[in-house]
Each structure stands twice: as C-alpha cells, then as structure tokens.
C-alpha cells in the first residue's frame, strides 16, 4: 500500500512505527540551511533520497535539522558561528535499531553558516548528498570553510577564510569558537 508522511523540525527526536505490510520505505531527506544575516544566501542543506529496507512494527528515529537564527549551530550537529557569523545548519537523518550516530541509515548534511563582515558577504557551503560544497568570501574564488564528505567532516575557518583550523567531527560541523576572530559555523 502507499503511505506518505512529512516530518518537520521540532528540536527533538521524532519516531515512526513501520506499518504492517511495509518492507521498504522511500526516504527523501533534506538537511537544514545554514544561518545568515543577509537575505541572498545560497547556503542550502543537502538532499538525499534512498529506498530503505524496514520491518513492520519497528521504530525509526527521525532527526530533522534546524536552520539557526543566531550564533549557535542548528540542532543535530550544526557548528557554532562567532561574532558576525551565523551557525551552520543541522543535519537531518533517519536512525534504525537505536538512536546513536552509528545507527544512522541515511543523512542529509546541513549547510555552513553565512554572514556579512567587513563589507563582504560570507557564504556558507551547501550541505551534501555525497559531498558538501566549500564556503567563500564575496566570490567563489576566495576560499572559505572546507566541505564535508561521506567519510569526514569539513574544517571550519576563521580570520582570512582560507585558514582551516577549526575541525568538525563525527556528527557535527566545524566551529570557529575560540579561534579569536570572525567565523562561520559548519554544517
């Protein structure tokens, strides 16, 4: 049979019990956009779609990432921003068999934070399906934070935006906190 449901950001884990007669779900997962303090930002979260085998009666745990409005990174792994930079967006994922990061069966990465500093737009990198995109200052030729991939997080950045010193890790984006400079959170 055919069943559709949509889950939006709530700030906490949501659950879905697999209905009887269902052995596969098609999941469309969107990571959260990164925060920004100007309106023309393009730091959108990633998108992933896949068919996932399931067992009727089992519980899936759904984590829907948050688009931050301030320095604190979005719920579910967004990196914090600092001073003029906004936090990165949180990832969205589905977990099966438990609620740890190791139980994730699909993940759409959140985007890096963006802002406006010293007369220049700072653009957060977009969230990934297989890989995210790099951030930049004013134009794509001026490098910023590094993108994450399926096997590692990207580095955050500060000061010159080509000095990647603030690494993310398993399940969270890089953050410039304690870099002592303007900085923007990773997705």
């Amino acid at each position: 049979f055919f069943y559709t449901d949509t889950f939006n950001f709530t700030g906490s884990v949501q659950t879905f019990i697999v209905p009887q007669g269902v052995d596969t779900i098609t999941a469309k997962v969107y990571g959260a956009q990164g925060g920004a303090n100007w309106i023309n930002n393009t730091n959108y979260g990633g998108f992933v779609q896949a068919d996932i085998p399931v067992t009727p009666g089992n519980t899936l745990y759904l984590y829907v990432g948050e688009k931050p409005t301030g320095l604190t990174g979005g719920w579910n792994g967004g990196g914090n921003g600092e001073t003029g930079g906004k936090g990165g967006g949180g990832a969205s994922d589905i977990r099966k068999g438990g609620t740890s990061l190791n139980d994730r069966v699909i993940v759409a990465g959140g985007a890096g934070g963006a802002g406006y500093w010293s007369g220049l737009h700072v653009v957060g990198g977009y969230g990934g399906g297989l890989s995210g995109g790099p951030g930049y200052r004013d134009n794509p030729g001026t490098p910023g934070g590094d993108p994450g991939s399926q096997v590692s997080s990207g580095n955050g950045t500060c000061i010159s935006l080509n000095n990647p010193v603030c690494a993310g890790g398993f399940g969270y984006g890089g953050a410039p906190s304690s870099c002592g400079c303007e900085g923007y959170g990773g997705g």
Side-chain angles (χ1 to χ4, degrees):
F1 74 92
F2 186 77
Y3 175 82
T4 300
D5 206 345
T6 301
F7 294 86
N8 296 302
F9 169 72
T10 63
S12 62
V13 64
Q14 300 171 65
T15 58
F16 174 77
I17 298 174
V18 179
Q20 292 301 313
V22 175
D23 60 6
T24 303
I25 62 167
T26 299
K28 296 180 180 181
V29 183
Y30 297 84
Q33 183 174 11
N37 58 8
W38 53 285
I39 61 170
N40 294 324
N41 58 77
T42 57
N43 54 337
Y44 300 113
F47 169 74
V48 181
Q49 178 176 329
D51 291 334
I52 300 172
V54 293
T55 302
N58 282 0
T59 300
L60 301 178
Y61 302 93
L62 312 168
Y63 291 73
V64 179
E66 172 190 20
K67 176 186 175 184
T69 58
L71 298 179
T72 302
W75 186 80
N76 203 31
N80 291 336
E82 187 172 74
T83 313
K86 301 296 183 182
S92 294
D93 65 72
I94 298 174
R95 303 177 194 192
K96 187 168 90 169
T99 58
S100 79
L101 291 174
N102 290 317
D103 294 316
R104 297 178 297 183
V105 294
I106 188 169
V107 181
Y116 190 76
W117 180 75
S118 192
L120 299 173
H121 292 288
V122 179
V123 178
Y126 56 86
L130 296 177
S131 292
Y136 60 89
R137 183 190 296 195
D138 206 39
N139 68 69
T142 307
D146 297 329
S149 71
Q150 291 290 306
V151 296
S152 68
S153 65
N155 290 321
T157 189
C158 63
I159 301 178
S160 66
L161 285 122
N162 60 6
N163 180 17
V165 296
C166 307
F170 185 56
Y172 65 93
S177 298
S178 302
C179 284
C181 62
E182 305 287 343
Y184 304 82

